[in-house]
Each structure stands twice: as structure tokens, then as C-alpha cells.
Amino acid sequence: MSQTVTEFELHDVRFPTSEQLDGSDAMNPDPDYSAAYVVLRLGDGGEGHGFCFTIGRGNEVVAAAMEALRPHVVGRPAPFTAAGLAALHTDLTHDSQLRWLGPEKGVMHMAAGVVVNAAWDFAATRAGLPVWEFLASMTPGELVGLVDFRYLTDVLTRDEALAILRAAEPGRSERAARLRERGYPAYTTSPGWARGQQGVRREGLRVPRRAAEGEGQGRRVPGRPVLDQRPRPLRGVQVLHGPGPSVPEVLVAFQPRAPA
């Protein structure tokens, strides 16, 4: 079976979270959590998935930008190696006409990132490893080969980066073993979102014990209706967190700008 990319399947996925103000804050009062999602399918049956997050309107713009990248992906050999993944990234971000739209910023940047992530997904899956371990298994030379140094060499050259990675190589297996044992710090808003007159969505604050035991970090974001209330709703976070292992918390409250 062919190991080329044969299909580039796009999805515009949206959830009406604005109906309950889930995910809202002072600067984003009515988000509909959405994703522009791509599935890259290979001729031999393999596939890779990638997506980027938006908050509703404009999700179709990201999907259209992803569609513009299709010619760079379909029909090419599947990039299973560091060199192949680096070459894909270069092709996506160096299209002379799409560069006018800014592949290093904005919507084209998001679109290219989705496709690159999907390629990493099928490369790591083919290797039988999670993405972090697939990355960690690469040699210093392969890692340096992934980096676009065009805007870095005034502070870090390719040779300097290679020297740093080679110096750290002896401790690699120990660090990887520690990650397998403990997991790695993760960021999520899923433990809870404060909103509305009741303050805190209690059903959203029951964090799985495994997550609470890791070296992770919780995040609380007061939804827009909470901003006009006294601090009472936020005490619910502390109460529901309850006894047990300590999980560092970040309370994120976006402050709207005062009218000019």
C-alpha cells in the first residue's frame, strides 16, 4: 500500500457554548468553542489528526486557509522522519504567494500549524510512540534540523543549539523515565468555569484524581456574569477543591479596557 498522503479531510466543528456562557470572559463575552479540524489519510490506511481552536465566527476562515495548503500535502510521501516533517513545515510556510498573507502570524500561521500537527500525529503513531516520546527519541542533529533559525541566529546559532542538546544528552533517558512515571505539567480549563448567578459550575470542578496527583496546574476563569458580582463565587473553587494533594491554581480574570 502507498505511504503517500491521499486525502485531506476538513471539518468545521462548532459547539454553542455561548448559550450558557461557558468559556466567556470580559474580553470574549459570547464564545462558541470551535475547531478547524483536518484528517490526513495515507494510502496504506494510516491517518493523522490536527486542529486549531477558535471561538466561532471565523472558524470557516481558518478552514479555508487550510484548504489552500492542500496542494502541498496531497500526493507527497508521508513525512515519518524529522527531515520529512521539517521539509513539510518549510513547504507550508514558504509558499511565495501564501507568504503574502503571513504564514508566521494570523490565520495562515494557524492553518499551517494544524497541518503540521496532523503530520506529527501520524508520524508518532507509526513509530508507536506518543508525540513527546517520538520527539524525545530524536538525535540532537535531528532536533536542530527541525528548527527554522532564520530569526534566531543573532542570539542562538545552529551550532550553539547543537552543543546544548549534545551536552544534555547523557541525562535524556533519566528525564524520559521521570516523565513516564509522573507525566508532564499540563494546562487545562476543564476543571471548572465560574459563571452565572450560581457562581461555579460545580459539576465541572470534580477533577479526576489522577490529574490532581500530577504536577499539573488548574485554571479557573470567571465567566462574564461573575465579573459584576462580589468575590463569593470564587470561594466555591476552594471548597470544592477539598482536601488532598495540592494542585497549583491559576485564577485568570481578563480585565476589559475602559471606554476611550
Side-chain angles (χ1 to χ4, degrees):
M1 296 290 288
S2 171
Q3 290 190 338
T4 60
V5 180
T6 57
E7 295 183 46
F8 189 96
E9 182 180 302
L10 287 174
H11 299 274
D12 183 338
V13 184
R14 308 188 193 210
F15 301 91
T17 51
S18 62
E19 292 179 1
Q20 299 294 324
L21 297 183
D22 290 320
S24 66
D25 58 53
M27 299 303 294
N28 304 286
D30 59 348
D32 284 329
Y33 273 29
S34 305
Y37 196 106
V38 70
V39 183
L40 303 183
R41 301 191 190 280
L42 310 184
D44 64 1
E47 59 184 46
H49 296 244
F51 70 92
C52 73
F53 168 69
T54 76
I55 58 171
R57 288 184 296 278
N59 202 57
E60 72 282 1
V61 178
V62 182
M66 290 158 59
E67 176 62 34
L69 297 172
R70 180 190 294 268
H72 291 290
V73 181
V74 174
R76 74 183 294 142
F80 293 127
T81 65
L85 291 163
L88 172 64
H89 175 268
T90 298
D91 287 349
L92 296 179
T93 57
H94 286 65
D95 181 301
S96 62
Q97 295 181 15
L98 292 177
R99 276 186 59 81
W100 188 263
L101 304 179
E104 289 133 357
K105 60 184 181 297
V107 171
M108 286 308 304
H109 176 84
M110 296 168 72
V114 174
V115 177
V116 168
N117 285 349
W120 276 84
D121 183 39
F122 66 57
T125 300
R126 184 58 55 94
L129 298 170
V131 171
W132 76 265
E133 197 165 356
F134 177 60
L135 182 65
S137 69
M138 292 180 178
T139 67
E142 287 175 324
L143 291 171
V144 168
L146 291 166
V147 179
D148 184 346
F149 280 91
R150 287 175 300 161
Y151 306 123
L152 298 177
T153 52
D154 55 339
V155 293
L156 181 71
T157 67
R158 184 181 298 272
D159 288 343
E160 288 169 340
L162 189 59
I164 291 170
L165 291 170
R166 285 174 173 165
E169 199 169 13
R172 183 206 304 241
S173 59
E174 180 183 348
R175 293 191 298 273
R178 187 162 61 246
L179 281 173
R180 292 188 194 97
E181 178 185 354
R182 302 181 184 178
Y184 50 85
Y187 169 91
T188 179
T189 62
S190 61
W193 206 289
R195 63 149 175 85
Q197 296 301 316
Q198 298 303 315
V200 176
R201 293 185 61 194
R202 292 175 174 266
E203 70 277 11
L205 290 177
R206 292 185 172 84
V207 185
R209 185 167 181 80
R210 179 168 176 79
E213 290 173 349
E215 296 178 355
Q217 179 167 272
R219 179 181 191 253
R220 304 285 184 263
V221 182
R224 191 182 187 197
V226 175
L227 297 177
D228 297 327
Q229 300 179 29
R230 303 181 73 83
R232 177 185 173 192
L234 303 182
R235 289 201 293 269
V237 173
Q238 298 171 338
V239 170
L240 286 176
H241 206 283
S246 174
V247 177
E249 292 276 339
V250 174
L251 176 61
V252 180
F254 296 100
Q255 177 64 43
R257 291 185 178 183

